[in-house]
Every structure is written in C-alpha cells, then in structure tokens.
Amino acid sequence: MKKVLITGKNSYIGRSFKRWITQNKFDYTVDFISVKSDEWKNEAFNNYDVILHAAALVHSNKYSQEEHNIINRDLTLEIATKAKNEGVKHFIFLSTMAIYGVEEGTINATTKPKPKTSYGKAKLEAEKLLNFLNDKEFKVSIIRPPMIYGPSCKGNYIRLSKLAHNTPFFPYINNSRSMLFIDNLSEFIRLVIMYELEGVYTPQNSEYVNTSELVQMIKKCNNKTILLIKSIGFFINYFIKKSSMLQKIFGTLIYDKEISQLFDHQRNRLNYNVIAFEESIVRTESKE
C-alpha cells in the first residue's frame, strides 16, 4: 500500500486523484493537508511514501511575480525540504506547460523552457530548486500537463463549453491542441507513484484536439447541433497571430507525442490514456 499526502485540500487535481483511486479500489491511502497557513509545518510527514504537491497560486494576471514566487516557488521548496528531512521517498510536483513560454507550435524534446508569465517563471524556478534535492533516497517527479479538463474543472474548457451552448454556429479552424482529461492525469500520477518514477513528464491525451470539432462534440453530448463555417475560419486565421485570445482558442499548441510516453524502469510502455477522448467529453458534460 502506498500512502500519499496531497497538499491543497481543495485542489481539483488532488480531489480527482483520490476519487480515481477510490472508485477503482487501488491499494493507496490518500490524505490531504492545507498549506494556506503555517500549521502544516507542525504536521508529521514521516508516515507517507509520497507527497503530491498540488497546492499553487493560480495562473492569473492579478498576482505579481513576487506573489507567484512566494507560493509556487518558495513554499514548494519548503514543503519538499521538510518531506526529505522526514524520510519521504517521493515528491511529485505539478508544474505547467507554461514553463516553455510557447504560444503556438510544437513542443518537443529539444524545446528549452522560456516562460513568459509570472506563473510559468515561478514554476520553472521551483523545478530547478527541486532538482537539487533529487537523489537516490528522494525522488522528484515533475509533471508539466497541458490544458486539463473534466467535470466541474475551471478554466478554458468551461468557457469554451459555455460558448458552445450559446451559439448556433462556430468557425471551422484546422488546428490542434494538446489536452489532458482529469482521469487520464490521475492514472498517470498513479503509475508514477506505483513505479516510483522520477524526472520530467509531459502527459497528454493520446489524441490531439481540434477546437471546432471539440465544440461540435460538446453540442452533440447535449443533443444539439452546431454549424461549422469555414469562411469565418479563414477570417479568424488572418487575425490569430494578432490576438492572444484568438491564439489560445484557435492556434495550434501541442506536445510531440514522443515526449508524452510513459515507461517503467525496464522500458515497458505504460498506458495512462484509459479514457478515450469522446468518452471524456461525455463525462465532462455530464457534470457528474
């Protein structure tokens, strides 16, 4: 049995991971701890095999670089140091695709991190500090997911879903996006824990997502239809590079699939994409 402690009592990823473990009856125990105050410093970590650090200051322009540094960098190092000193063997850090600073194109094995946002910069600095703690007795796993979605998940997906519900037509754009369904992420984390894997990981769904087809699928899940119009798509394509908002919705931003594979120590491939894309949208739209 693996004993896992998750930082962030209200973490969407943390709560979803526990639900996944419980529903599938995996032999893990999962507890939560709040790190909003300094009370966590008095808690004992020595009873746990793994710390899953999910607590973070969200990606938002309303927070300064200093605020992001305090929570997403300094607090991360404090928690990891305490974990190592108290004999925890494995530390998992939820980082972000934003550390690359890439707004359009393909991220592959040679892409160097160059974050542009306060959030991405603080996360990358935290990664670098964690690497100094990594050794044979204290394994560090860094996960850089793309856009995460799932039932009740906040963020870009819910905004796109609301738009899909409220419009009878939508532009057709031939783009690709890397996304990650929450249950696939939960299974990914479970496998990282199970096989005690360390290093940097960039998981994603097995299929790239086309924004227009995603909107169409959302409509279908709600027993509605939508008209995809190519002429509007051509118009939007012209303005994509001039608008960061349009780029986030309609631009292409993907991980090369080669860097998203997961292997055990014997180089056996591990499958974490247990929920197919269409089924993931059905589950997300069901809100259950």
Side-chain angles (χ1 to χ4, degrees):
M1 177 184 290
K2 292 284 189 179
K3 296 182 178 180
V4 183
L5 179 64
I6 300 176
T7 64
K9 284 191 173 182
N10 297 315
S11 161
Y12 178 75
I13 294 175
R15 288 292 173 188
S16 299
F17 175 73
K18 182 168 185 177
R19 175 182 52 78
W20 179 252
I21 293 299
T22 303
Q23 285 181 349
N24 292 283
K25 299 180 180 179
F26 293 120
D27 196 16
Y28 290 52
T29 62
V30 180
D31 295 324
F32 290 84
I33 187 172
S34 173
V35 292
K36 286 186 176 181
S37 68
D38 286 340
E39 291 182 12
W40 65 270
K41 295 179 180 180
N42 299 318
E43 298 290 335
F45 286 3
N46 60 326
N47 292 323
Y48 295 97
D49 302 298
V50 184
I51 303 292
L52 173 58
H53 184 42
L57 191 63
V58 297
H59 187 179
S60 174
N61 291 332
K62 70 179 182 180
Y63 299 118
S64 67
Q65 184 68 67
E66 183 180 6
E67 289 173 306
H68 277 291
N69 287 346
I70 290 170
I71 302 301
N72 296 334
R73 181 193 65 189
D74 302 345
L75 180 61
T76 298
L77 180 61
E78 282 188 78
I79 294 169
T81 301
K82 175 179 169 64
K84 182 173 184 176
N85 290 340
E86 295 186 15
V88 177
K89 301 299 183 183
H90 197 174
F91 188 87
I92 300 175
F93 177 56
L94 293 172
S95 189
T96 173
M97 191 186 205
I99 65 105
Y100 291 101
V102 176
E103 296 176 347
E104 188 172 20
T106 301
I107 296 168
N108 57 35
T110 63
T111 306
K112 302 297 183 184
K114 194 176 180 181
K116 297 178 179 178
T117 64
S118 298
Y119 176 77
K121 290 174 183 177
K123 286 284 190 177
L124 180 58
E125 289 186 18
E127 288 186 16
K128 292 177 179 178
L129 293 171
L130 289 174
N131 285 330
F132 285 112
L133 298 179
N134 186 56
D135 58 31
K136 292 181 180 180
E137 300 300 321
F138 187 72
K139 296 180 178 180
V140 173
S141 307
I142 294 168
I143 302 176
R144 300 170 176 170
M147 189 180 89
I148 298 166
Y149 67 100
S152 303
C153 183
K154 298 178 181 179
N156 290 333
Y157 177 91
I158 193 66
R159 287 190 282 271
L160 192 61
S161 179
K162 287 180 179 178
L163 179 61
H165 283 283
N166 295 317
T167 183
F169 60 88
F170 196 79
Y172 180 79
I173 298 286
N174 186 24
N175 74 331
S176 297
R177 308 289 296 189
S178 287
M179 293 172 59
L180 184 57
F181 182 52
I182 187 61
D183 287 352
N184 292 337
L185 174 57
S186 294
E187 176 64 4
F188 183 91
I189 293 170
R190 185 189 73 84
L191 291 170
V192 167
I193 293 172
M194 177 179 175
Y195 290 96
E196 299 178 354
L197 303 176
E198 60 186 305
V200 176
Y201 299 96
T202 52
Q204 64 177 324
N205 287 346
S206 56
E207 306 167 64
Y208 295 138
V209 179
N210 173 276
T211 303
S212 303
E213 292 172 1
L214 170 58
V215 169
Q216 191 174 49
M217 194 173 295
I218 290 170
K219 278 284 197 182
K220 181 181 177 182
C221 289
N222 291 278
N223 298 313
K224 297 179 181 179
T225 59
I226 191 168
L227 179 64
L228 299 180
I229 304 175
K230 288 188 176 181
S231 58
I232 300 178
F234 287 130
F235 178 78
I236 288 178
N237 259 327
Y238 180 78
F239 289 100
I240 281 179
K241 293 187 182 296
K242 298 180 180 181
S243 168
S244 60
M245 182 187 72
L246 289 177
Q247 196 170 61
K248 286 179 181 178
I249 299 173
F250 296 109
T252 288
L253 181 58
I254 57 174
Y255 278 136
D256 186 320
K257 291 184 179 180
E258 286 296 316
I259 65 172
S260 294
Q261 298 182 65
L262 186 66
F263 299 93
D264 66 14
H265 292 293
Q266 283 72 48
R267 296 300 295 172
N268 297 308
R269 188 172 177 178
L270 303 172
N271 179 35
Y272 60 90
N273 272 292
V274 290
I275 308 297
F277 176 66
E278 187 167 355
E279 175 61 21
S280 75
I281 300 303
V282 171
R283 294 188 182 193
T284 300
E285 290 298 308
S286 71
K287 306 296 189 295
E288 293 180 359

